[in-house]
Amino acid sequence: MPAPNPFSVEGKVVIVTGGAAGIGLGIVEAFDQAGAKVLAIGRRENGGESIAPVAPNARYFPADLKDPDAAEAIVAAAIAAFGTVDTLINNAAQVENYPVGELTVEYLDSMAATNIRGVLLLIQAFTRALRNEGKGGRIVNIGSMEGTVACLDEGMAAYGATKTAVAGMTVSLSRELGRDGINVNGILPGCIVHPNLLSRQGDIGLEEGHLDTAFAKIIQRTNMKRLGRPRDIANVCLFLAAEASDYVSGQMISVDGGVTINIG
């Protein structure tokens, strides 16, 4: 009998927020291809339309993390669909460019509601479900290199602050939840190119026509001399959800081609 594959996630139940576009869609696709049971979360009612072509076995559940009741509804939907939960990937985030002089209370509250409060409430609901079953699990929080270095244009202070908070909660929760057999880790993506980014360049402070210039600067500072792909992030998520990473917890793993060590 062949030895079990410690890198397999086949049959694992995985919740992916922000799963209908960008990095999240790449994560959903990778887990679906690896045989996991995936519940993708997105704000749009028709978000499943973008998922079906690349992850035909995944389920879709619309929910807005700004809604305090969304967390319990998401976990309940996963259990209703698959009978249990194993891995939570917190990928959804609000990202927009706002110079500090233009920040409003409403904008700050909206960003914090998604990027901080929504993440924590979903972790709370997810860990409650695991404890009810008496089992361990995996939590992967998608942060950003904007939480540690100023790599894009100006106006990312609020977003960077929320992603620094994600890193802080990851480290703290890894200690708190470790006794329950729950591994908590995070990923710090570099510049990951996907259609959603290309269509929203204004949201990250890049004027029309400036994207190629920004990409060229990043590639120049990247050890691998290329931009990242959603699959680069998804591959690390697969590892963190698998048995092979059993002794990995409390880590924020940079997946950026080495760019952050060259920014200064």
Side-chain angles (χ1 to χ4, degrees), residues 92 177 239:
L177 301 178
F239 167 68

Side-chain angles (χ1 to χ4, degrees), residues 77-111:
I79 294 174
F82 304 119
T84 188
V85 289
D86 294 297
T87 297
L88 169 63
I89 300 178
N90 282 306
N91 169 73
Q94 179 178 336
V95 52
E96 292 162 335
N97 176 277
Y98 266 83
V100 67
E102 300 176 14
L103 290 174
T104 65
V105 171
E106 292 76 17
Y107 169 74
L108 291 171
D109 287 347
S110 175
M111 178 166 281

Side-chain angles (χ1 to χ4, degrees), residues 4-249:
N5 179 6
F7 293 93
S8 174
V9 294
E10 186 172 0
K12 296 291 185 182
V13 176
V14 183
I15 299 171
V16 183
T17 66
I23 292 174
L25 182 58
I27 295 170
V28 169
E29 179 181 10
F31 274 93
D32 185 68
Q33 291 176 347
K37 301 173 182 178
V38 184
L39 183 68
I41 311 301
R43 289 183 299 170
R44 294 181 289 113
E45 289 292 332
N46 64 345
E49 295 176 3
S50 63
I51 295 170
V54 299
N57 300 307
R59 306 278 187 94
Y60 179 73
F61 184 77
D64 189 342
L65 293 180
K66 289 188 181 71
D67 179 359
D69 296 324
E72 292 289 349
I74 289 168
V75 174
I79 294 174
F82 304 119
T84 188
V85 289
D86 294 297
T87 297
L88 169 63
I89 300 178
N90 282 306
N91 169 73
Q94 179 178 336
V95 52
E96 292 162 335
N97 176 277
Y98 266 83
V100 67
E102 300 176 14
L103 290 174
T104 65
V105 171
E106 292 76 17
Y107 169 74
L108 291 171
D109 287 347
S110 175
M111 178 166 281
T114 298
N115 296 7
I116 302 176
R117 188 186 69 191
V119 173
L120 280 169
L121 289 178
L122 189 48
I123 289 172
Q124 181 187 60
F126 177 76
T127 56
R128 183 181 295 123
L130 291 177
R131 285 167 171 166
N132 287 342
E133 292 189 48
K135 60 184 282 187
R138 306 299 173 92
I139 298 171
V140 182
N141 296 322
I142 307 299
S144 172
M145 61 181 183
E146 277 289 335
T148 56
V149 296
C151 57
L152 292 174
D153 224 332
E154 297 176 2
M156 301 300 286
Y159 176 73
T162 65
K163 287 305 185 178
T164 301
V166 168
M169 72 175 73
T170 299
V171 173
S172 180
L173 286 169
S174 70
R175 181 171 185 175
E176 180 179 340
L177 301 178
R179 64 177 64 92
D180 295 310
I182 302 171
N183 297 52
V184 187
N185 291 288
I187 296 174
L188 300 173
C191 186
I192 309 299
V193 180
H194 49 79
N196 197 42
L197 172 66
L198 298 177
S199 67
R200 297 185 62 201
Q201 55 186 294
D203 291 342
I204 58 173
L206 295 175
E207 297 178 9
E208 193 70 31
H210 289 197
L211 197 59
D212 289 342
T213 300
F215 283 170
K217 290 180 180 178
I218 292 172
I219 291 172
Q220 185 178 16
R221 293 179 172 183
T222 301
N223 296 344
M224 308 309 296
K225 301 307 175 189
R226 69 169 175 86
L227 299 171
R229 301 178 289 258
R231 190 67 188 223
D232 294 318
I233 306 304
N235 286 340
V236 180
C237 289
L238 288 169
F239 167 68
L240 292 174
E243 180 186 347
S245 64
D246 268 356
Y247 206 53
V248 180
S249 192

